Amino acid sequence: MMKKIINVVVTLVLGALIYYLTLPAINLNNIGFYTYIATLIIIFAVLDAFNRDTKVELFKKGKKINPIDYPKTSLVCIGIVLIMFFLIGTINFFASPIFNAKSYQSRIIIDETGNFTEDIEEVNFNQLPLLDRASSEVLGDRVMGQMSELVSQYSVSKQYTQINYNDAIMRVTPLEYADPIKWLTNRKQGIVGYITVNSVNGESNLVRLEKGMKYSTSALFNEKLERKLRFEYPTTNFGDISFEIDNEGNPYYIVTTLKYSAIGLKAKVSGVIIFNPITGESKKYSKEDIPSWVDVAYSASLVIEQIDNWGTYKNGFWNSIFGQKNVVNTTDGYNYLAMNDDVYLYTGITSVVSDESNLGFVLTNMRTGKTTYYSVPGAEEYSAMSSAEGQVQDMGYTSTFPLLINLQGRPTYLVSLKDTSGLVKMYGFVDVKDYQKVTVTDASKGIIVAKDNYLKSIKTEVKDSELVKKEIIVDNITTAIINGYTYYYIESDNQKYKVSISLSDELPFIKAGNTLSIGIPAIEKDIIEIEKIY
């Protein structure tokens, strides 16, 4: 009896240590919880089996121990573990898409009535994240390398969360302790700051904090972020953890909370925990009450998984394997767009049959999870990337994953072309409907020049069917030279128009009061560019 008590005590001690290290959620829907329980049972079974003189002697002599020789308690324990995982497997089998394709397909609600030209505003290049994550990391490391007093004590985290900070599109990432020894020597002051990288112009800064961050993913013992959270929320299922700053620049960790179906299936965002790494204070929010300054409550991987389920199981499980009628998936990549003070995930939708075209794309608000599908058939993103790289193949530049923009009412891919060191050297514009229409421009000339070069290259190819014909009476006309090209600005009935001299040799002779028959894109904006003069 005493040996069994000792076995129980040893099991509980080892169990406490394992819990402290692995931090499973005490939640019946979390597979980690059952793995933890199974580990404790196996530990007790092993202790019970070998904490007997006869078994120890046989083991020392190298003799084979038959299962029948084991104590009944150990066999019962092993049986409990096997039954437990058999039941989990059975429950998850009947909760799988084989029997529940409809519920998997409806994991995410997607608005399929989106209109590209109406919903997606004309691109604002002052709010366009031209730098991808990899380029941001290069710039962040450069900033850190210039801080000689910090670089030996701290390193830069790889988080680089894309956020919309007071209408500035940025990536933010915290510093972290360089190693356990650096944690020990610096834990009193904590982590002294975080790095910001402007995704539009590349401006990078180290923001120093008045009080250091005590809790982080690189800290040890009870100051480790995950451990602090688990002890405060022992039953909560955690998703991804992202680093963000509020509108005043205060640092926070945003921890996604999840709900599962069956055992670890169909993860669904239930809300977030906002954690202050300086004070250790935290607050839990439902997904409907998440503060507006938070940009990332939904992880990209979970959103992609849900969209794939939506596209895969439209006509049931077996159709997804055999007939594959109307089965679509996301493309192998995604990017972020900033709109209306929020951050959106963008990814293309393509047929499950591999080809080089997209059927459309989806935008997901990373704070609210609201997702809209836009039917914009055209080139698949990697085809567009290859087309842009083909223009500079002698230089060996590689393309970033495209940004999809509304350029004068035309769906257009914008890519950055980078050298081997990760620096942006050129910008490429690729027509979504025809990826053979591509223009690349040296990045040193600026994104506006790159845009103008692209528009000039496709201007002659604009079809009459894509234009709105209109007659206007000229109220006023002036000229301007932009990047060496002459443009005429026309005012008519309180609307302003812009037209290139290349469209008509008669433009220099146009006067107030003259009537012009023009073709313009079907968009509304302050200054509309005339595409054709009839």
Side-chain angles (χ1 to χ4, degrees):
M1 182 65 182
M2 182 58 66
K3 288 183 178 181
K4 286 190 178 296
I5 294 175
I6 293 173
N7 292 343
V8 171
V9 172
V10 172
T11 300
L12 292 177
V13 171
L14 291 176
L17 177 61
I18 292 170
Y19 181 83
Y20 189 81
L21 295 175
T22 60
L23 304 171
I26 304 175
N27 189 299
L28 294 177
N29 293 111
N30 193 309
I31 187 65
F33 172 70
Y34 294 97
T35 303
Y36 173 67
I37 295 299
T39 302
L40 297 187
I41 294 173
I42 291 172
I43 289 174
F44 179 79
V46 171
L47 290 174
D48 189 71
F50 287 96
N51 196 12
R52 293 169 181 267
D53 295 339
T54 55
K55 298 296 177 292
V56 172
E57 291 301 319
L58 289 172
F59 180 74
K60 287 182 177 179
K61 293 178 180 179
K63 294 183 178 181
K64 183 178 180 181
I65 304 175
N66 295 320
I68 196 171
D69 293 326
Y70 282 101
K72 292 182 179 179
T73 303
S74 299
L75 295 176
V76 169
C77 289
I78 300 301
I80 290 173
V81 171
L82 293 175
I83 292 172
M84 181 172 65
F85 281 104
F86 173 78
L87 290 175
I88 291 173
T90 301
I91 291 170
N92 281 359
F93 174 72
F94 285 104
S96 70
I98 297 176
F99 303 100
N100 300 275
K102 186 175 181 179
S103 67
Y104 277 81
Q105 195 271 336
S106 61
R107 286 179 68 187
I108 187 171
I109 304 301
I110 298 182
D111 180 2
E112 300 185 50
T113 63
N115 184 292
F116 179 82
T117 55
E118 293 180 1
D119 295 353
I120 309 301
E121 295 180 356
E122 173 79 14
V123 60
N124 180 354
F125 290 103
N126 293 322
Q127 291 188 321
L128 193 65
L130 297 173
L131 295 178
D132 64 357
R133 184 192 193 94
S135 296
S136 298
E137 289 182 7
V138 172
L139 295 172
D141 288 342
R142 284 186 177 183
V143 171
M144 190 61 183
Q146 296 168 5
M147 305 294 174
S148 57
E149 77 280 13
L150 298 179
V151 71
S152 63
Q153 304 299 310
Y154 302 96
S155 59
V156 184
S157 169
K158 299 298 183 183
Q159 288 209 22
Y160 285 94
T161 309
Q162 184 82 70
I163 67 169
N164 193 327
Y165 174 61
N166 293 331
D167 293 328
I169 313 305
M170 311 186 78
R171 286 188 182 268
V172 292
T173 192
L175 301 185
E176 57 185 17
Y177 298 108
D179 55 54
I181 299 300
K182 302 302 189 299
W183 168 78
L184 187 63
T185 56
N186 291 285
R187 61 181 294 266
K188 187 174 181 180
Q189 67 174 340
I191 293 176
V192 297
Y194 58 85
I195 287 176
T196 65
V197 180
N198 189 302
S199 298
V200 179
N201 57 32
E203 181 181 350
S204 309
N205 294 290
L206 172 65
V207 179
R208 293 178 180 266
L209 300 168
E210 292 184 7
K211 292 184 179 180
M213 293 182 281
K214 181 179 180 181
Y215 301 93
S216 78
T217 57
S218 60
L220 301 179
F221 302 115
N222 288 357
E223 293 177 8
K224 187 173 182 64
L225 174 64
E226 294 88 339
R227 189 163 292 120
K228 172 72 172 175
L229 287 165
R230 176 54 67 213
F231 289 165
E232 291 192 16
Y233 304 94
T235 63
T236 301
N237 298 313
F238 297 145
D240 285 3
I241 299 176
S242 60
F243 179 82
E244 293 194 35
I245 56 178
D246 65 11
N247 294 331
E248 286 72 45
N250 301 307
Y252 290 92
Y253 281 99
I254 310 300
V255 186
T256 302
T257 60
L258 303 173
K259 285 185 178 180
Y260 294 109
S261 295
I263 313 297
L265 299 182
K266 288 195 300 183
K268 186 177 182 179
V269 173
S270 60
V272 299
I273 296 170
I274 298 180
F275 181 87
N276 186 323
I278 298 175
T279 65
E281 298 174 347
S282 63
K283 186 174 180 180
K284 198 172 187 178
Y285 294 85
S286 66
K287 62 181 180 180
E288 293 82 12
D289 299 323
I290 299 174
S292 60
W293 64 264
V294 173
D295 286 306
V296 182
Y298 287 71
S299 70
S301 58
L302 179 57
V303 169
I304 295 296
E305 177 187 314
Q306 292 177 336
I307 295 172
D308 281 338
N309 282 177
W310 167 82
T312 299
Y313 301 120
K314 283 186 175 182
N315 292 318
F317 175 79
W318 298 112
N319 176 73
S320 70
I321 297 177
F322 299 110
Q324 296 186 328
K325 181 180 179 181
N326 298 325
V327 174
V328 296
N329 283 143
T330 57
T331 49
D332 295 329
Y334 60 88
N335 214 324
Y336 296 102
L337 298 175
M339 299 186 301
N340 307 319
D341 198 34
D342 278 318
V343 173
Y344 290 76
L345 178 142
Y346 153 80
T347 187
I349 298 294
T350 186
S351 170
V352 72
V353 180
S354 180
D355 54 23
E356 295 186 349
S357 63
N358 278 352
L359 302 174
F361 70 93
V362 293
L363 288 181
T364 299
N365 186 309
M366 300 300 284
R367 175 172 58 86
T368 66
K370 182 180 179 181
T371 302
T372 304
Y373 171 74
Y374 296 90
S375 178
V376 182
E380 188 258 352
E381 291 91 345
Y382 285 94
S383 298
M385 292 164 65
S386 298
S387 183
E389 289 172 349
Q391 298 291 310
V392 290
Q393 57 184 343
D394 55 322
M395 301 178 184
Y397 295 159
T398 56
S399 172
T400 59
F401 193 82
L403 292 167
L404 182 67
I405 61 174
N406 179 351
L407 187 59
Q408 296 191 357
R410 301 172 66 96
T412 305
Y413 287 131
L414 170 58
V415 302
S416 297
L417 295 160
K418 303 189 297 183
D419 62 14
T420 54
S421 64
L423 297 178
V424 175
K425 293 298 184 180
M426 306 190 85
Y427 296 126
F429 286 83
V430 185
D431 187 79
V432 169
K433 294 182 179 180
D434 182 1
Y435 66 87
Q436 298 299 325
K437 297 177 182 178
V438 55
T439 301
V440 298
T441 302
D442 195 312
S444 64
K445 295 181 179 179
I447 188 66
I448 301 302
V449 173
K451 178 261 296 184
D452 289 340
N453 287 344
Y454 171 71
L455 291 176
K456 291 185 184 74
S457 71
I458 66 171
K459 192 173 293 294
T460 57
E461 301 174 13
V462 176
K463 298 178 182 178
D464 285 350
S465 59
E466 298 175 351
L467 301 177
V468 175
K469 294 182 180 180
K470 185 177 182 180
E471 284 196 352
I472 62 172
I473 297 175
V474 178
D475 295 331
N476 186 38
I477 183 168
T478 58
T479 63
I481 297 177
I482 303 175
N483 299 317
Y485 294 91
T486 300
Y487 288 88
Y488 288 81
Y489 288 83
I490 299 171
E491 293 182 75
S492 175
D493 195 21
N494 296 320
Q495 177 64 59
K496 298 176 182 178
Y497 300 91
K498 174 183 175 183
V499 56
S500 171
I501 183 67
S502 62
L503 286 189
S504 174
D505 293 335
E506 298 296 322
L507 283 170
F509 306 103
I510 300 296
K511 298 178 181 179
N514 290 162
T515 299
L516 284 180
S517 181
I518 61 175
I520 58 175
I523 57 174
E524 293 183 6
K525 52 188 301 188
D526 292 339
I527 301 177
I528 299 176
E529 184 157 1
I530 296 172
E531 300 286 351
K532 192 167 185 179
I533 295 179
Y534 299 99

mmCIF file of all heavy atoms in Angstrom, residues 10 89 152 187 278 280 336 343:
data_model
loop_
_atom_site.group_PDB
_atom_site.id
_atom_site.type_symbol
_atom_site.label_atom_id
_atom_site.label_comp_id
_atom_site.label_asym_id
_atom_site.label_seq_id
_atom_site.Cartn_x
_atom_site.Cartn_y
_atom_site.Cartn_z
ATOM 1 N N VAL A 10 4.785 10.493 -6.478
ATOM 2 C CA VAL A 10 5.781 10.737 -7.529
ATOM 3 C C VAL A 10 5.087 11.149 -8.834
ATOM 4 O O VAL A 10 5.541 12.064 -9.543
ATOM 5 C CB VAL A 10 6.659 9.491 -7.749
ATOM 6 C CG1 VAL A 10 7.565 9.683 -8.968
ATOM 7 C CG2 VAL A 10 7.490 9.213 -6.512
ATOM 8 N N GLY A 89 -10.767 9.004 -30.971
ATOM 9 C CA GLY A 89 -10.734 8.754 -32.410
ATOM 10 C C GLY A 89 -12.119 8.492 -32.972
ATOM 11 O O GLY A 89 -12.467 8.963 -34.068
ATOM 12 N N SER A 152 23.763 43.341 -27.714
ATOM 13 C CA SER A 152 24.364 42.201 -27.022
ATOM 14 C C SER A 152 23.432 41.601 -25.978
ATOM 15 O O SER A 152 23.672 40.491 -25.496
ATOM 16 C CB SER A 152 25.666 42.636 -26.346
ATOM 17 O OG SER A 152 25.409 43.621 -25.359
ATOM 18 N N ARG A 187 16.230 41.037 -16.314
ATOM 19 C CA ARG A 187 14.817 40.862 -15.969
ATOM 20 C C ARG A 187 14.295 41.978 -15.066
ATOM 21 O O ARG A 187 13.100 42.271 -15.069
ATOM 22 C CB ARG A 187 14.583 39.506 -15.308
ATOM 23 C CG ARG A 187 15.319 39.266 -14.009
ATOM 24 C CD ARG A 187 15.013 37.859 -13.481
ATOM 25 N NE ARG A 187 13.623 37.737 -13.095
ATOM 26 C CZ ARG A 187 13.184 37.933 -11.859
ATOM 27 N NH1 ARG A 187 14.025 38.284 -10.894
ATOM 28 N NH2 ARG A 187 11.901 37.780 -11.582
ATOM 29 N N ILE A 278 3.831 44.924 -19.592
ATOM 30 C CA ILE A 278 4.545 45.744 -18.599
ATOM 31 C C ILE A 278 4.019 45.465 -17.200
ATOM 32 O O ILE A 278 4.779 45.221 -16.257
ATOM 33 C CB ILE A 278 4.415 47.242 -18.944
ATOM 34 C CG1 ILE A 278 5.058 47.537 -20.298
ATOM 35 C CG2 ILE A 278 5.063 48.100 -17.847
ATOM 36 C CD1 ILE A 278 4.869 48.968 -20.759
ATOM 37 N N GLY A 280 1.448 43.071 -16.496
ATOM 38 C CA GLY A 280 0.946 41.720 -16.306
ATOM 39 C C GLY A 280 -0.562 41.648 -16.220
ATOM 40 O O GLY A 280 -1.130 40.571 -16.006
ATOM 41 N N TYR A 336 -1.613 41.276 -47.138
ATOM 42 C CA TYR A 336 -2.485 42.121 -46.325
ATOM 43 C C TYR A 336 -2.762 43.440 -47.041
ATOM 44 O O TYR A 336 -1.893 43.991 -47.719
ATOM 45 C CB TYR A 336 -1.846 42.416 -44.966
ATOM 46 C CG TYR A 336 -1.658 41.189 -44.107
ATOM 47 C CD1 TYR A 336 -0.407 40.587 -43.980
ATOM 48 C CD2 TYR A 336 -2.731 40.630 -43.418
ATOM 49 C CE1 TYR A 336 -0.229 39.468 -43.185
ATOM 50 C CE2 TYR A 336 -2.565 39.503 -42.623
ATOM 51 C CZ TYR A 336 -1.309 38.928 -42.509
ATOM 52 O OH TYR A 336 -1.147 37.814 -41.737
ATOM 53 N N VAL A 343 -7.087 46.002 -40.968
ATOM 54 C CA VAL A 343 -6.187 45.200 -41.786
ATOM 55 C C VAL A 343 -6.962 44.006 -42.333
ATOM 56 O O VAL A 343 -7.685 43.325 -41.587
ATOM 57 C CB VAL A 343 -4.977 44.722 -40.968
ATOM 58 C CG1 VAL A 343 -4.131 43.739 -41.770
ATOM 59 C CG2 VAL A 343 -4.116 45.912 -40.545
#
